[in-house]
């Protein structure tokens, strides 16, 4: 079999059980990279080239990327616009040690960071190894939520290595930290339309400005991307591997005082596609030629991601108190021609649904000019429900075994992270996170007994705790070079 996709990775790795990962970066170097293109070498040979300072929030507070002792790649709004990428999947191609290993238009999104995947299997019992966060809110079901579209994004940060101290569980390989645009104090807006092959197009709009002068600001954004298929299905006569994605976001920013900001945000995303099916190169289901397939049931992939959050930033005496309250839900529907041929022999149908509630409270501050820290507490609750049905043509008899599972999880954590400038140009970084988690499982398998036994409803429980520390040291060699070594630990809860 060969799988149709623009880029195919033959290396797929994953973790399918509770895992702990440690990372040690020896002599890491953080420095800006310049690509000077001089139009007149004689006039500009002595010019001093300066890079605009890049501010990131990889450690829960605003910092120059030059000072962050993490293996990080950051992209600004301009970087994303100039590159023409549309989503996280495409942007990941520009990030070292990050590989997209899923199907381009599939409802199943799989990223591999340093050999560890966001999802090793399309199963609600398997947690992600790479965390995805939008405006500080975790996308609990990374399989359907990791591939965020870029239509009102301010910045994207790819963090490589365990991020357990500040980002918590399921970030053992790294984290994708996305920050969207905040409403503006002046009216601004944009509209864009782009065209592509296979009658493809993308439209997007953004509008922002004051609603109540000096107190209330708002923004609204929306986009739609659609493309016809490019793989000929010689059984159905259709063109497979199409794409139809749309979404939007609304934000309200309320500033009742100079030291208080309250942001209410809501977003939605839907995707529907006929996913590229494998092509048999010989034997049953053989489809001669390139970009062809021969399946009676095209693989379809549909997903939805919706959510809302309330973020409060309050500048109090000595620091900033931040609260992020969020609710999110996602769903995935997928069909698959398991026999990969023109006969209705075996077909699989998957229906996943996820709901989550999260609450984070943290306080960041500075003590003098040499000590900076962030301390906080976190709560997360998630419900996952999945059903899988397989239609099997058993010598003319239709068998339809069903697998149903529900997993309810609850986790609680406290964390602390600090930087101490203990000597000139030297900084010690240290922190830790303590996490407790409880999981409840309800599983049921129903068959006719010919292929597998029918199992009554089985229940199970799981409780665990983890301590994820971070320790590092950095030396500011010059204004352009920061040397660091860091050891960190992450936790994967299933």
């Amino acid at each position: 079999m060969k799988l149709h996709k623009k880029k195919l990775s033959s290396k797929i790795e994953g973790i399918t059980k509770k895992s702990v990962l440690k990372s040690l970066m020896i002599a890491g170097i953080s420095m800006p990279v310049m690509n000077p293109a001089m139009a007149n070498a004689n006039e500009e040979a002595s010019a001093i080239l300066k890079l605009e300072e890049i501010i990131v929030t990889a450690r829960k507070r605003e910092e120059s990327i030059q000072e962050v002792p993490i293996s990080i790649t950051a992209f600004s709004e301009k970087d994303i616009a100039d590159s023409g990428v549309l989503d996280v999947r495409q942007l990941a191609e520009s990030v070292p040690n990050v590989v997209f290993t899923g199907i381009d238009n599939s409802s199943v999104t799989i990223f591999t960071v340093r050999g560890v995947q966001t999802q090793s299997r399309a199963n609600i019992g398997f947690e992600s190894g790479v965390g995805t966060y939008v405006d500080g809110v975790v996308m609990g079901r990374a399989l359907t939520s990791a591939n965020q579209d870029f239509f009102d994004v301010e910045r994207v940060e790819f963090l490589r290595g365990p991020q357990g101290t500040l980002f918590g569980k399921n970030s053992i390989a790294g984290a994708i930290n996305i920050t969207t645009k905040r409403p503006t104090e002046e009216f601004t807006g944009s509209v864009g339309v782009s065209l592509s092959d296979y009658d493809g197009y993308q439209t997007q709009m953004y509008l922002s400005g004051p609603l109540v002068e000096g107190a209330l600001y708002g923004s609204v954004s929306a986009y739609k991307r659609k493309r016809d298929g490019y793989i000929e299905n010689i059984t159905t006569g259709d063109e497979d591997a199409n794409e139809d994605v749309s979404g939007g976001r609304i934000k309200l920013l309320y500033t009742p005082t100079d030291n208080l900001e309250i942001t209410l945000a809501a977003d939605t995303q839907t995707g529907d596609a006929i996913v590229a099916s494998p092509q048999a190169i010989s034997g049953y289901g053989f489809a001669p030629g390139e970009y062809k397939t021969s399946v009676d049931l095209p693989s379809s992939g549909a997903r939805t991601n919706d959510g809302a959050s309330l973020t409060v930033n309050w500048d109090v005496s000595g620091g900033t108190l931040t609260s992020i309250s969020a609710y999110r839900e996602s769903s995935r529907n997928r069909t698959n021609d398991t026999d990969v041929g023109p006969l209705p022999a075996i077909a699989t149908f998957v229906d996943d649904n996820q709901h989550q509630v999260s609450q984070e409270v943290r306080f960041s501050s500075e003590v003098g000019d040499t000590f900076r820290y962030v301390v906080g507490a976190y709560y997360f609750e998630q419900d996952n429900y999945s059903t899988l049905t397989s239609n099997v043509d058993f010598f003319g008899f239709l068998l339809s075994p069903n697998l149903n599972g529900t997993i309810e999880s609850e986790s609680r954590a406290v964390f602390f992270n600090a930087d101490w400038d203990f000597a000139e140009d030297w900084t010690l970084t240290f922190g830790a996170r303590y996490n407790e988690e409880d999981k409840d499982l309800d599983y049921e398998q129903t068959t006719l007994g010919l292929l597998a036994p029918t199992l009554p409803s089985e229940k199970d429980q799981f409780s665990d705790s983890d301590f994820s520390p971070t320790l590092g040291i950095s030396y500011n060699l010059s204004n352009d070079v920061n040397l660091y070594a860091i050891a960190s630990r992450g936790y994967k809860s299933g």
Side-chain angles (χ1 to χ4, degrees):
M1 299 291 180
K2 64 179 181 179
L3 191 63
H4 294 294
K5 54 190 240 180
K6 296 179 181 177
K7 292 190 176 182
L8 179 63
S9 171
S10 60
K11 183 179 180 181
I12 299 178
E13 303 177 1
I15 293 180
T16 58
K17 61 181 180 180
K18 172 192 169 184
S19 305
V20 173
L21 191 68
K22 297 181 180 179
S23 173
L24 178 62
M25 173 67 73
I26 302 297
I29 301 178
S30 175
M31 60 184 297
V33 180
M34 294 185 292
N35 184 21
M38 298 185 179
N40 190 324
N42 292 330
E43 294 181 2
E44 300 181 8
S46 61
I48 299 177
L49 299 179
K50 294 184 178 180
L51 292 179
E52 180 182 356
E53 185 179 30
I54 301 174
I55 302 298
V56 297
T57 55
R59 298 197 297 171
K60 305 287 187 178
R61 60 181 188 264
E62 291 188 351
E63 299 175 284
S64 170
I65 192 173
Q66 180 74 9
E67 301 173 354
V68 178
I70 296 176
S71 180
I72 179 175
T73 302
F75 298 88
S76 66
E77 177 187 0
K78 185 178 184 301
D79 294 331
I80 295 172
D82 291 345
S83 65
V85 299
L86 303 176
D87 51 29
V88 173
R89 169 183 60 83
Q90 295 181 0
L91 190 61
E93 297 179 0
S94 302
V95 182
N97 305 125
V98 178
V99 180
F100 175 79
T101 54
I103 303 174
D104 289 354
N105 63 338
S106 172
S107 61
V108 178
T109 304
I110 302 175
F111 291 100
T112 302
V113 181
R114 293 181 173 179
V116 180
Q117 290 185 339
T118 52
Q119 200 80 16
S120 55
R121 290 188 61 188
N123 184 311
I124 62 171
F126 290 78
E127 300 281 3
S128 175
V130 181
T132 302
Y133 304 80
V134 179
D135 293 332
V137 179
V138 65
M139 304 291 105
R141 187 67 172 142
L143 193 66
T144 56
S145 306
N147 191 27
Q148 294 287 314
D149 282 82
F150 299 147
F151 55 97
D152 65 346
V153 168
E154 176 182 302
R155 185 177 62 256
V156 180
E157 305 162 12
F158 286 84
L159 286 60
R160 297 178 293 278
Q163 305 298 322
T165 298
L166 287 174
F167 287 92
K169 67 173 187 175
N170 303 333
S171 58
I172 60 173
I176 303 171
N177 190 32
I178 301 172
T179 303
T180 64
K181 295 180 183 178
R182 57 177 282 153
T184 58
E185 297 181 359
E186 298 180 356
F187 281 109
T188 183
S190 63
V191 177
V193 179
S194 59
L195 304 177
S196 62
D197 293 340
Y198 304 102
D199 293 328
Y201 67 87
Q202 173 168 303
T203 62
Q204 60 184 45
M205 61 80 64
Y206 177 78
L207 182 64
S208 179
L211 301 177
V212 177
E213 193 67 33
L216 184 63
Y217 310 89
S219 66
V220 58
S221 56
Y223 76 101
K224 182 176 178 63
R225 184 171 74 249
K226 191 172 184 179
R227 187 203 69 218
D228 291 343
Y230 60 91
I231 296 179
E232 180 184 355
N233 189 326
I234 63 176
T235 297
T236 65
D238 297 328
E239 299 292 331
D240 296 351
N242 67 340
E243 188 174 35
D244 189 353
V245 181
S246 61
R249 180 177 286 107
I250 297 176
K251 274 190 175 184
L252 291 175
L253 171 61
Y254 179 47
T255 57
T257 63
D258 292 339
N259 64 341
L260 180 61
E261 290 186 352
I262 302 173
T263 303
L264 177 64
D267 66 275
T268 183
Q269 181 186 54
T270 62
D272 196 3
I274 300 298
V275 182
S277 299
Q279 177 181 359
I281 59 177
S282 64
Y284 175 69
F286 172 62
E290 294 186 347
Y291 297 101
K292 293 184 179 181
T293 188
S294 178
V295 294
D296 64 295
L297 178 66
S299 298
S300 65
R303 60 175 178 141
T304 64
N305 295 300
D306 305 299
S309 65
L310 179 67
T311 302
V312 180
N313 286 298
W314 185 19
D315 292 334
V316 296
S317 177
T320 300
L321 182 64
T322 300
S323 170
I324 304 176
S325 310
Y327 170 81
R328 298 203 62 84
E329 60 185 29
S330 67
S331 65
R332 179 176 73 99
N333 305 97
R334 182 173 173 84
T335 64
N336 185 48
D337 190 332
T338 309
D339 65 277
V340 196
L343 300 178
I346 306 175
T348 305
F349 306 87
V350 178
D351 184 8
D352 291 346
N353 290 277
Q354 178 259 2
H355 305 267
Q356 70 176 64
V357 175
S358 62
Q359 174 65 55
E360 179 174 332
V361 178
R362 65 176 185 262
F363 180 75
S364 59
S365 181
E366 298 182 5
V367 179
D369 297 327
T370 61
F371 192 78
R372 301 165 298 280
Y373 69 92
V374 57
V375 60
Y378 184 74
Y379 175 81
F380 181 77
E381 182 179 311
Q382 178 176 246
D383 295 335
N384 280 317
Y385 172 77
S386 179
T387 179
L388 183 149
T389 302
S390 294
N391 288 344
V392 181
D393 188 344
F394 188 73
F395 299 102
F397 295 94
L398 182 62
L399 308 179
S400 298
N402 289 279
L403 305 177
N404 299 289
T406 300
I407 295 180
E408 299 176 354
S409 60
E410 181 183 59
S411 59
R412 303 157 298 277
V414 291
F415 58 90
F416 173 81
N417 196 77
D419 284 342
W420 175 35
D421 302 331
F422 64 92
E424 185 177 1
D425 296 325
W426 287 92
T427 301
L428 180 68
T429 297
F430 57 96
R433 187 185 192 99
Y434 178 74
N435 183 85
E436 292 183 347
E437 181 164 27
D438 301 313
K439 284 189 175 183
D440 294 311
L441 167 67
D442 192 344
Y443 175 80
E444 184 179 20
Q445 175 175 295
T446 304
T447 71
L448 295 180
L450 297 178
L451 302 178
T454 294
L455 301 177
S457 178
E458 296 187 2
K459 300 182 183 297
D460 197 4
Q461 292 182 330
F462 168 83
S463 295
D464 197 16
S465 62
D466 175 74
F467 181 73
S468 297
T470 294
L471 180 63
I473 190 169
S474 58
Y475 175 67
N476 187 24
L477 184 64
S478 68
N479 292 333
D480 297 325
V481 179
N482 185 33
L483 304 178
Y484 67 88
I486 190 166
S488 59
R489 184 183 183 193
Y491 168 71
K492 185 174 181 287
S493 63

